[in-house]
Amino acid sequence: MVDLELSEACPPRLSLTALFLRFMRFGVLAFGGPVAQIAMIRRELVEEERWIDSSRFNRLLAVMQVLPGPEAHELCVHMGIRARGRLGGLLAGLGFMLPGLVLMLLAAWAYSELAGQSPILAAVFVGVQAAVLAIIARAVHRIGEHILTSLSLWIIMGATAVATIGGVSFWIVLPAAGLTYAGVRSGRWWLVAVALSAAIAMGLVTQLNATGFAPPPTAAMAATTFALFLAGLKGGLLTFGGAYTAIPFVKADTVDRGWATDAQFLDGVGLANVLPAPLVIFATFVGWMSSGLLGALATTAGVFLPAFAFSMIFYERLERVVEDERLQAFLTGVAAAVVGVIVVTAFQLAEAALANTPNLPLTATLFLFGAAVVYFWKSRYNAPVVLVTGAIVAAAWLRRVGNVRNGSKANIEIRAVRTSARGSPADIRSWRMAALIGELLCD
């Protein structure tokens, strides 16, 4: 009976065009984040049309949650392979991501053309950035709850956070964390000692380089297409536990190199929360801010490549590969370290937002409101509601309580000019935004 039931669970016969359009429909309806997206795929392909047996779908989902990359997108690729082979998997994945990609490209273009010229948009994004910080804080907490299940994992997370604050590269910390936890799980303490010793030695070398014992660094590298592809690829390979874990890695290779600003980065994350797409689509926005259309496409290709590759390369062996206990232990240690990195990055983004906001009480109030909503309202719509509310309240409150008169407006503009003469680029951008908001409030 069981064999008969399993044999009946198979995809219908579809042309490649029909397959692409079917999964593009999923992409058009992919609002609400990964939980809503996976529920939609389960309802239509498992419960209604029986492309795959329910128990096997559950095992497959568990595998996807271990691997890096957006789970819903990986499920689409896997289902496409079941229907029409690897070409079908490629088309299914492209169909699912295409609507969100097109919308994000349009949003990035509009933002780059209008954000610096429209006072109302400047005010709106003050609220968006505060709301995004609240969403990130909740995401970090939720990811930590799922990953940090033992004292050793908490220690790895804390040690990684300290190392990240100290400037140690995550390419040193993450492998060391994975090997350390694998050694702890297997009782191979020599492996723990080797991993920690190597990480400490390499960390000391990087600190010596940073304090002047190495040749002076060259000028900052330009935002090339290949560099942005690599930035996306790093984020895609290290997306454990959700798209938010890609934030520190994409930020390190774009914002920290001066290719985009912290404010632009937060705005991109905010837009990704309201578009029908995997949340990691924020990388497309950051790529556009760094190098226009080509940069956006390169970053997108990099961040989605692992989601395609794991399913298409390991399709027949995927479940067996992930069931390897040594690999599971290594990936769990890496995931715990990623939590430490994203905690530090979240604080860095919050610090930048607070330093650059033209209205600190407003930003703090919207952050607390957003945090309360995402913590206590269990709905797939909580993030979009927080973002839209923050945008509306920011524009309205700044107009109402700012009460900026002509003299205050002139003072804002004078401070912007003075800052441009002696301040950092971030300060200049901050005061220019303040001047735009001043114009809005004075009109």
Side-chain angles (χ1 to χ4, degrees):
M1 179 67 68
V2 175
D3 291 339
L4 178 59
E5 183 181 354
L6 288 175
S7 66
E8 294 175 350
C10 63
R13 297 181 64 86
L14 295 173
S15 67
L16 291 175
T17 301
L19 182 70
F20 175 80
L21 293 175
R22 179 62 193 275
F23 282 89
M24 188 168 70
R25 175 181 174 274
F26 284 139
V28 170
L29 300 175
F31 293 97
V35 174
Q37 293 162 7
I38 293 170
M40 174 177 60
I41 295 169
R42 179 194 295 273
R43 182 179 65 254
E44 295 199 18
L45 300 189
V46 179
E47 298 173 2
E48 297 178 3
E49 300 180 18
R50 293 189 52 76
W51 284 42
I52 187 173
D53 181 76
S54 179
S55 60
R56 186 172 181 184
F57 180 87
N58 292 337
R59 292 196 303 271
L60 180 64
L61 179 58
V63 169
M64 299 305 181
Q65 290 172 335
V66 172
L67 296 174
E71 296 98 328
H73 184 266
E74 290 172 330
L75 283 171
C76 289
V77 175
H78 193 91
M79 291 297 189
I81 295 175
R82 280 182 61 84
R84 290 300 303 267
R86 284 175 170 78
L87 180 57
L90 176 63
L91 292 174
L94 289 174
F96 182 72
M97 66 181 284
L98 183 61
L101 173 61
V102 172
L103 290 174
M104 182 57 88
L105 290 174
L106 291 173
W109 171 80
Y111 180 98
S112 62
E113 292 294 320
L114 301 175
Q117 303 174 17
S118 171
I120 188 65
L121 283 181
V124 162
F125 280 109
V126 169
V128 168
Q129 291 163 21
V132 169
L133 290 174
I135 294 169
I136 291 176
R138 176 58 180 136
V140 173
H141 186 191
R142 185 170 58 248
I143 293 166
E145 285 180 327
H146 287 96
I147 293 175
L148 305 177
T149 57
S150 67
L151 178 60
S152 56
L153 291 173
W154 275 95
I155 293 173
I156 288 173
M157 185 276 291
T160 300
V162 171
T164 302
I165 293 172
V168 180
S169 170
F170 59 81
W171 287 114
I172 297 173
V173 177
L174 299 188
L179 292 172
T180 297
Y181 188 67
V184 171
R185 284 284 301 271
S186 62
R188 299 177 180 176
W189 298 103
W190 62 268
L191 180 59
V192 176
V194 170
L196 293 178
S197 299
I200 292 171
M202 296 177 69
L204 289 174
V205 169
T206 59
Q207 290 303 303
L208 290 176
N209 289 343
T211 52
F213 290 90
T218 58
M221 182 178 63
T224 65
T225 301
F226 182 66
L228 287 168
F229 170 78
L230 291 180
L233 183 60
K234 291 178 186 178
L237 286 171
L238 298 169
T239 309
F240 292 96
Y244 290 101
T245 57
I247 284 176
F249 312 111
V250 177
K251 176 180 178 293
D253 281 348
T254 54
V255 175
D256 293 353
R257 292 180 175 180
W259 300 346
T261 67
D262 288 296
Q264 290 170 343
F265 192 92
L266 288 172
D267 293 340
V269 176
L271 288 169
N273 273 277
V274 298
L275 295 180
L279 293 177
V280 77
I281 203 71
F282 77 85
T284 301
F285 183 91
V286 178
W288 185 294
M289 295 302 110
S290 300
S291 189
L293 177 59
L294 287 179
L297 295 176
T299 311
T300 304
V303 82
F304 278 95
L305 180 59
F308 282 101
F310 282 116
S311 288
M312 296 181 71
I313 295 174
F314 299 109
Y315 172 69
E316 295 89 353
R317 302 179 297 277
L318 200 55
E319 294 181 30
R320 292 197 300 272
V321 168
V322 179
E323 285 173 357
D324 187 302
E325 292 185 0
R326 294 169 297 181
L327 178 61
Q328 283 188 355
F330 177 81
L331 293 178
T332 301
V334 171
V338 168
V339 175
V341 176
I342 193 176
V343 166
V344 174
T345 304
F347 275 104
Q348 292 171 344
L349 289 170
E351 181 183 16
L354 293 176
N356 294 335
T357 180
N359 192 314
L360 183 58
L362 171 63
T363 297
T365 300
L366 289 176
F367 171 80
L368 293 174
F369 166 78
V373 171
V374 296
Y375 265 91
F376 298 110
W377 184 31
K378 308 299 182 183
S379 169
R380 64 175 179 170
Y381 300 112
N382 58 14
V385 167
V386 166
L387 291 165
V388 172
T389 303
I392 294 172
V393 170
W397 192 8
L398 284 171
R399 178 183 286 274
R400 180 181 178 185
V401 306
N403 200 25
V404 177
R405 299 293 182 253
N406 290 334
S408 298
K409 173 184 173 182
N411 185 48
I412 289 174
E413 292 172 343
I414 290 170
R415 295 182 72 175
V417 172
R418 288 177 177 173
T419 304
S420 67
R422 68 178 186 276
S424 67
D427 294 330
I428 295 169
R429 289 187 295 269
S430 174
W431 285 111
R432 283 176 179 170
M433 182 173 72
L436 285 172
I437 294 174
E439 294 176 13
L440 171 67
L441 298 174
C442 291
D443 291 340

